[in-house]
Amino acid sequence: KEKYNIGIFCYCLMDNHYHLLIRTPLGNLTKTMHYLNASYTNWVKAKQDMVGPVFQGRYKSILIEDESYLLTLSSYIHLNPLRADMVDKLEDYKYNSFNEYIDKLDYEIVDKDFILRKFENIEAYKDFIYEWYDENRGIDKEEIYGMNGLLGSKRFVEKIIKKIGEDKDKKKLEEYSNVNINPIKKEDIEKLMIKTFDIKKEKLYKKSYGNDYRNMFIYLLKKYTGMKLIEIGELFNIRYTSVSMKTKRFKEKSKSDKGLNKKKSKIEDVIKNNV
């Protein structure tokens, strides 16, 4: 970290590969990765008394737009051992920065405060990670690890493609931008809901029985913005734990209510087309 002035947010060492979520303010990713892989290779060879390469091929990297996507990738990275059926609980896997986040290990490797500041406490982050697993949310590796290596909004992708002189074809732009979470502001979703459903702003916040627009708004804020659960809770005068509960109930209801599901699909299409 000190040698190349990088920030390490997450890591996970698997049986035949590893994941890193890092920040390189000096733009020295190539030098950093070369040093890391070379150092580890030399250590393994000396310890195992072996010859030949340890790693196969070059590392794969993703350029991330901003911190709105850190939560997405921290979940993806930390859940690797669980999704690979290597453990029953993430707490049982010691080669993963998840245990540093929940204060079970203290290697002082990761800059965990940068992500944890989005949550009220450590338990809230832990719940967030397991919720991703329970809902089977994730990232399509083929779309990210393919020829593009970009994770961000269409505006961000278009800017990067223009800067590096890549093909700006609309179809490829869609491939670059095909991710599950689009970081947009609360005000954007608010305006889009009001316009799409021809309703007043008060309808989005009014607490009343059967007000699906309010629960839909909470669901959309949680899914598409980088807002903390506690921030969403304060917005609607509810506890942060109720945010996840209301989101879950809304999704369950939309599965059985065709009319509500149609509205949900409509507004999500509008949001994705306006990012």
Side-chain angles (χ1 to χ4, degrees), residues 154 174 182 266-275:
K154 293 180 182 178
E174 285 292 330
N182 298 304
K266 182 178 181 179
I267 188 62
E268 290 199 277
D269 285 340
V270 171
I271 290 173
K272 291 173 183 177
N273 290 329
N274 283 273
V275 172

Side-chain angles (χ1 to χ4, degrees), residues 13 21 24 30 52 78 83 132 164 176 211 231 250 260 273:
L13 179 63
L21 179 55
T24 55
T30 300
H78 283 156
R83 285 178 169 154
W132 267 70
I164 63 178
Y176 280 112
N211 184 6
E231 290 175 334
F250 172 78
L260 183 60
N273 290 329

Side-chain angles (χ1 to χ4, degrees), residues 35-229:
Y35 177 81
L36 174 62
N37 288 341
S39 299
Y40 183 73
T41 296
N42 292 335
W43 179 81
V44 170
K45 286 184 176 181
K47 190 174 182 64
Q48 302 294 333
D49 191 24
M50 62 174 287
V51 295
V54 173
F55 295 104
Q56 182 179 8
R58 187 179 183 274
Y59 66 88
K60 295 177 180 178
S61 61
I62 306 169
L63 179 63
I64 309 170
E65 180 174 11
D66 56 31
E67 63 181 81
S68 301
Y69 289 95
L70 287 180
L71 296 183
T72 307
L73 287 176
S74 72
S75 300
Y76 170 74
I77 291 173
H78 283 156
L79 285 171
N80 263 265
L82 203 58
R83 285 178 169 154
D85 293 324
M86 299 174 73
V87 290
D88 293 324
K89 296 189 302 180
L90 287 178
E91 293 88 331
D92 296 334
Y93 196 75
K94 62 180 180 179
Y95 307 109
N96 192 338
S97 55
F98 177 76
N99 281 316
E100 288 196 57
Y101 273 79
I102 63 172
D103 287 343
K104 188 176 180 180
L105 294 176
D106 188 20
Y107 293 144
E108 297 185 356
I109 296 177
V110 295
D111 304 316
K112 59 184 181 181
D113 291 342
F114 196 78
I115 288 179
L116 287 180
R117 71 184 185 185
K118 290 182 171 290
F119 298 87
E120 185 177 30
N121 50 43
I122 292 173
E123 282 300 313
Y125 177 74
K126 183 178 177 180
D127 291 342
F128 171 78
I129 295 297
Y130 274 105
E131 184 178 286
W132 267 70
Y133 179 73
D134 292 338
E135 296 180 0
N136 197 30
R137 296 168 66 186
I139 303 173
D140 191 327
K141 291 188 292 185
E142 294 301 321
E143 291 170 347
I144 293 178
Y145 290 167
M147 60 175 288
N148 51 76
L150 296 173
L151 180 59
S153 64
K154 293 180 182 178
R155 188 180 305 169
F156 163 75
V157 171
E158 190 171 30
K159 179 181 178 181
I160 297 300
I161 293 175
K162 184 177 181 180
K163 188 172 183 178
I164 63 178
E166 291 284 351
D167 191 341
K168 291 181 288 185
D169 179 78
K170 286 186 177 180
K171 186 176 181 180
K172 288 193 175 183
L173 184 57
E174 285 292 330
E175 293 174 357
Y176 280 112
S177 308
N178 195 7
V179 294
N180 291 332
I181 295 181
N182 298 304
I184 60 177
K185 297 179 181 179
K186 170 188 73 76
E187 292 77 13
D188 294 328
I189 294 181
E190 185 179 273
K191 291 177 182 178
L192 289 173
M193 284 194 70
I194 292 172
K195 182 178 180 180
T196 301
F197 300 119
D198 192 23
I199 57 177
K200 293 185 177 181
K201 181 178 178 179
E202 292 75 20
K203 189 72 173 178
L204 300 178
Y205 296 91
K206 187 176 181 180
K207 185 179 180 180
S208 60
Y209 180 76
N211 184 6
D212 291 323
Y213 290 114
R214 182 174 186 261
N215 293 332
M216 183 187 296
F217 190 27
I218 293 174
Y219 161 79
L220 295 172
L221 291 177
K222 182 175 181 292
K223 181 175 181 180
Y224 289 99
T225 74
M227 292 178 67
K228 304 176 186 177
L229 296 180

